[in-house]
Amino acid sequence: MPSTTGSKVRRWDQHGREHVVRVQRTGIQRALHCGTCGWRKGVQFLPWLKAQEHLAEAHQATVDPAGSRT
Ligand SMILES: [Zn+2]
């Protein structure tokens, strides 16, 4: 399991800025909401993967703070 099984996905960009996509349950779907740009999306499967894709594509935020320790 990824380390992002909570209700939000956090990633840092190359400048050390934090970007957070919140994941909310809405019935069978999950609603994603990006705190940086206001992006919203409803997905049925793999909400955390979709959140990571958005963070990487829209904000170049690919650094997982929880997984950054060596
Ligand atoms: Zn965004």
Side-chain angles (χ1 to χ4, degrees):
M1 291 293 284
S3 61
T4 49
T5 52
S7 59
K8 59 186 177 181
V9 178
R10 298 168 63 214
R11 286 293 184 275
W12 294 343
D13 63 20
Q14 302 94 318
H15 306 288
R17 287 183 295 231
E18 185 186 58
H19 302 270
V20 178
V21 171
R22 296 185 179 280
V23 180
Q24 286 187 311
R25 296 185 68 153
T26 58
I28 62 169
Q29 281 206 331
R30 307 297 173 97
L32 308 180
H33 180 211
C34 177
T36 299
C37 69
W39 171 82
R40 292 174 185 271
K41 188 172 182 65
V43 297
Q44 212 167 331
F45 302 107
L46 299 173
W48 296 283
L49 185 65
K50 297 296 183 186
Q52 288 172 32
E53 284 179 0
H54 170 77
L55 289 167
E57 290 172 8
H59 306 299
Q60 287 78 52
T62 55
V63 180
D64 182 351
S68 59
R69 56 205 164 118
T70 50

